[in-house]
């Protein structure tokens, strides 16, 4: 008996179902690791016998005051970051010098540093320079550290737009008699304003979820939504209060994320030809030297102070802190933390690249509901703080077998979750540049979807994918907020250990924390250097979430 072939509609449904399977990977991964802890938070809050209303919980925790401090601090940080970054944007966007690779590395490095390391660096800077101005700790030091961390956001977002401004439009304005300054105001500035606003919104988002910097520099005097979630959930174990603050912060960061997206899409059209960086001439050399000194002041001095302080922990030159790094008999187990940090970050990088690549491919090739939901879920972790996520895991593990909560794979999975938006942000533009006609030609010659991707897409996005992998590794290596909640004795990462050492008395612990921080700076700098070498010419790294 001959079996009739399936109807055309059945075959089309089968192809659509098979094509939707890759979209389920980010959907399931992010759904399990992102939505589950948030759901556990909500369940625990409503199931708690001492649960109170949302309004009462906010009253008890002074939530509105905390919200005001958080918003004010984040807004001030965003304004200061834009002002500090403005000269550096000009340098990166218009000047062509042999050392510009070093400038790009220097600008990017603070953003990928662990926030706890930045806190340690400004604490070290405060003992030498800032204490005379009353900025060694407290809100002033926090604002300076936020600027240091987020200059890269403004520089990369705004310079990417500036370099796409059609140079012929500027030439036309000059031909009509406009001065260089008037040509900039009439032609370039209107195209930069939306990018500046979007960058400021992103800085606001990252600073509103700042944790490590405030813990190190706040001295317990500066309280924000982020630090109070940690205090209520871990310090007092008041679950309803912590959850109520988490909901308030989720609302805040989602609004900031939507604002950043909206402002980013409102930019005027730019040219594919883009502008050309030029060698400085005449008075421009003076401006280059001045901006270079400005860059060193904001981005080199804090790191330099950290290196010096690591060699002078007690006011005397010593390498005791570095000797502890390689002393297996040390009680602080820095060597073990370093080994676990590297292995955990590598595993997180592999997971983030795999899931992010699938999500990016789905976003660029499909437009159905499954693809849109999967893509949206993949970037959602950008809108929730790491502390809220980590606190959710603490609650979630109480409902799961003990082996799950103590597994050494849990931390890499959470680190990957935070790095996935970075991978997507860097791979999607690269995939969008792949000519569709090449894919069609390969398909006509008999190549299946997997073969088309392997032979056409992958060679063209290889450099962007390598850069994304580097950023995923260094961000996983420095993740602090969520890992603070999840770290066990055998899964203590180096940033968590540094934070712990800074809270212990004694010069030896301070020396070890400083030396470990310098080690993380060196590793991050090396990775950023290779990322800049691997990234396609003119490409800008995507901006991911803060730890």
């Amino acid at each position: 008996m001959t079996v009739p072939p399936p109807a055309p509609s059945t075959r089309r449904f089968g192809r659509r179902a098979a094509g939707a399977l890759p979209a389920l990977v980010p959907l399931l991964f992010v759904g399990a690791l992102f939505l589950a802890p948030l759901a556990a938070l909500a369940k625990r809050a409503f199931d708690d016998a001492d649960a109170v209303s949302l309004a009462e919980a906010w009253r008890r925790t002074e939530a509105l005051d905390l919200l005001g401090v958080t918003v004010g601090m984040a807004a001030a940080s965003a304004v200061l970051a834009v002002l500090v970054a403005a000269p550096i944007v000009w340098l990166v966007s218009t000047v062509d010098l042999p050392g510009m690779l070093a400038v790009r590395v220097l600008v990017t490095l603070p953003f990928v540093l662990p926030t706890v390391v930045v806190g340690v660096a400004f604490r070290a800077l405060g003992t030498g320079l800032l204490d005379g101005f009353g900025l060694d700790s407290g809100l002033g030091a926090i604002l300076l550290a936020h600027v240091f961390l987020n200059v890269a956001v403004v520089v990369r977002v705004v310079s990417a737009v500036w370099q796409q401004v059609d140079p012929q439009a500027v030439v036309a304005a000059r031909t009509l008699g406009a001065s260089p300054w008037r040509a900039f105001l009439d032609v370039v500035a209107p195209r930069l304003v939306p990018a500046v606003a979007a960058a400021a919104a992103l800085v606001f988002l990252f600073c509103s979820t700042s944790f490590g910097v405030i813990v190190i520099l706040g001295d317990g005097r500066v309280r924000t939504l982020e630090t109070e979630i940690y205090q209520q959930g871990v310090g007092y174990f008041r679950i309803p209060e912590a959850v109520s603050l988490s909901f308030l912060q989720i609302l805040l960061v989602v609004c900031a994320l939507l604002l950043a997206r909206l402002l980013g899409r409102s930019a005027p059209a730019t040219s594919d030809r883009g502008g050309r960086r030029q060698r400085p001439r005449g008075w421009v050399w003076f401006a280059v030297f001045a901006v270079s000194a400005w860059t060193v002041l904001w981005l080199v001095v804090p790191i330099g102070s950290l290196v010096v302080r690591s060699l002078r922990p007690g006011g005397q030159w010593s390498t005791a802190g570095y000797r502890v790094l390689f002393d297996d008999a040390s009680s602080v187990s820095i060597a073990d933390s370093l080994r676990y940090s590297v292995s955990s970050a590598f595993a997180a990088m592999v997971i983030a690249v795999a899931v992010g690549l699938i999500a990016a491919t789905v976003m660029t090739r499909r437009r159905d509901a499954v693809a849109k939901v999967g893509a949206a879920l993949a970037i959602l972790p950008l809108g929730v703080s790491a502390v809220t996520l980590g606190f959710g895991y603490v609650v979630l593990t109480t409902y799961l077998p003990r082996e799950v909560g103590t597994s050494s794979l849990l931390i890499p999975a959470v680190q990957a979750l935070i790095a996935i938006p970075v991978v997507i942000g860097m791979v999607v533009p690269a995939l969008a540049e792949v000519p569709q006609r090449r894919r069609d030609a390969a398909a006509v010659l008999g190549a299946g979807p997997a073969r088309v991707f392997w032979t056409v897409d992958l060679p063209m996005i290889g450099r962007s994918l390598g850069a994304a992998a580097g950023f995923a590794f260094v961000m996983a290596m420095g993740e602090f907020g969520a890992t603070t909640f999840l770290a066990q004795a055998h899964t203590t990462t180096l940033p968590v250990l540094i934070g712990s050492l800074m809270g212990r008395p004694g010069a030896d612990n301070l020396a070890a924390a400083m030396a470990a921080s310098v080690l993380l700076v060196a590793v991050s700098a090396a990775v950023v250097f290779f990322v800049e070498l691997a990234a396609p010419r003119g490409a800008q790294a995507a901006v991911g979430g803060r730890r």
Side-chain angles (χ1 to χ4, degrees):
M1 177 178 172
T2 303
V3 178
S9 59
T10 305
R11 290 197 299 268
R12 286 195 298 270
F13 176 78
R15 286 195 297 267
R16 287 197 298 267
L21 288 178
L24 295 177
V25 174
L27 188 69
L28 295 175
F29 181 84
V30 179
L33 291 174
F34 176 69
L35 297 181
L38 297 184
L41 276 178
K43 183 178 186 303
R44 183 62 178 268
F46 291 121
D47 289 349
D48 197 303
D50 298 326
V52 295
S53 66
L54 195 63
E56 177 63 19
W58 285 347
R59 187 192 65 79
R60 290 184 181 181
T61 57
E62 301 177 338
L64 295 182
D65 292 339
L66 294 173
L67 178 63
V69 172
T70 303
V71 170
M73 180 193 65
S77 299
V79 172
L80 289 175
V82 169
L83 294 177
V84 170
I88 307 175
V89 171
W90 169 82
L91 181 68
V92 171
S93 302
T94 64
V95 176
D96 181 23
L97 287 173
M100 293 310 295
L101 174 62
V103 174
R104 293 198 302 271
V105 172
L106 182 61
V107 169
T108 306
L109 178 60
F111 183 75
V112 300
L113 286 179
T115 53
V116 64
V117 171
V118 175
V120 173
F122 275 82
R123 176 61 63 87
L125 183 63
T127 59
L129 297 176
L130 300 181
D131 49 358
F133 300 94
L135 298 176
D136 57 320
S137 62
L139 186 58
I142 291 171
L143 292 178
L144 295 179
H146 283 170
V147 171
F148 173 79
L149 276 166
N150 293 290
V151 162
V153 178
V154 182
V155 171
R156 287 190 170 271
V157 171
V158 181
S159 64
V161 175
W162 195 335
Q163 291 170 12
Q164 293 176 3
V165 174
D166 189 353
Q168 297 302 322
V170 179
V171 172
R174 296 295 309 278
T175 303
L176 294 174
S179 65
W181 181 245
R182 180 63 181 272
F184 172 81
L185 290 178
D186 291 345
V187 178
V188 181
R191 290 165 172 79
L192 298 185
V193 169
V196 171
L202 283 173
V203 174
F204 177 90
L205 168 66
F206 298 144
C207 293
S208 66
T209 60
S210 179
F211 179 66
V213 166
I214 298 177
V215 168
I216 298 295
L217 296 177
D219 285 341
R221 294 176 292 159
V222 179
R223 296 168 58 225
T224 63
L225 286 174
E226 190 86 347
T227 59
E228 193 65 17
I229 291 170
Y230 181 86
Q231 186 65 30
Q232 293 290 335
V234 176
Y236 306 140
F237 208 70
R238 297 172 180 168
I239 304 299
E241 286 81 358
V243 171
S244 68
L245 293 175
S246 298
F247 287 161
L248 185 60
Q249 189 180 57
I250 289 173
L251 179 62
L252 172 64
V253 297
V254 168
C255 290
L257 181 60
L258 292 176
L259 179 62
R261 297 270 178 178
L262 179 63
L263 294 173
R265 291 177 179 176
S266 63
T270 53
S271 170
D272 292 335
R273 288 176 291 181
R276 293 183 179 180
R277 291 188 290 265
Q278 298 178 352
R279 291 295 180 96
R281 296 178 181 177
W283 66 269
V284 178
W285 276 110
F286 175 79
V288 169
F289 287 132
V291 175
S292 298
W294 180 257
T295 306
V296 169
L297 174 66
W298 282 97
L299 303 181
V300 177
V301 170
I303 296 176
S305 69
L306 176 63
V307 175
V308 172
R309 188 67 191 280
S310 70
L311 295 172
R312 290 175 58 89
Q316 305 253 344
W317 293 101
S318 171
T319 59
Y322 292 91
R323 290 197 297 269
V324 174
L325 295 179
F326 306 99
D327 185 3
D328 291 334
S330 173
S331 61
V332 296
S333 303
I334 289 182
D336 291 339
S337 294
L338 176 61
R339 283 191 288 267
Y340 177 74
S341 294
V342 172
S343 61
S344 174
F346 183 81
M349 178 194 71
V350 173
I351 298 172
V353 168
V355 178
L357 180 59
I358 293 173
T361 304
V362 170
M363 291 173 66
T364 54
R365 293 195 181 184
R366 299 178 60 89
R367 295 293 183 268
D368 55 23
V370 176
K372 292 179 180 179
V373 172
L377 273 180
I379 63 174
L380 267 181
L382 186 63
V384 177
S385 74
V387 168
T388 297
L389 195 62
F391 180 49
Y393 276 104
V394 171
V395 176
L396 179 62
T397 52
T398 62
Y399 299 103
L400 299 175
R402 183 177 180 275
E403 292 76 10
V404 176
T406 58
S407 173
S408 58
L409 296 177
L410 181 59
I411 289 178
V414 176
Q415 292 171 339
L417 182 70
I418 296 172
I420 284 173
V422 178
V423 177
I424 294 175
M426 298 184 70
V427 175
V428 165
L431 283 172
E433 293 296 324
V434 178
Q436 184 60 38
R437 62 180 181 274
R438 293 192 181 184
R439 299 186 181 120
D440 295 338
V444 169
L445 294 174
R451 182 69 179 274
V452 170
F453 178 82
W454 185 262
T455 58
V456 178
D457 293 70
L458 194 58
M460 297 191 67
I461 69 169
R463 292 171 68 89
S464 294
L465 192 61
F471 268 109
F473 176 85
V474 76
M475 291 185 69
M477 184 90 172
E479 206 288 318
F480 178 68
T483 309
T484 302
F485 290 85
L486 302 175
Q488 305 288 331
H490 64 292
T491 59
T492 300
T493 62
L494 204 53
V496 173
L497 183 60
I498 292 172
S500 175
L501 289 172
M502 289 297 295
R504 302 179 189 176
D508 291 341
N509 289 325
L510 177 62
M514 295 288 181
S517 299
V518 172
L519 178 62
L520 274 179
V521 170
V523 172
S524 301
V527 173
V528 170
F529 176 78
F530 286 111
V531 165
E532 290 290 347
L533 287 179
R537 183 174 178 82
Q540 296 293 326
V543 180
R546 176 68 65 207
R547 281 77 60 202

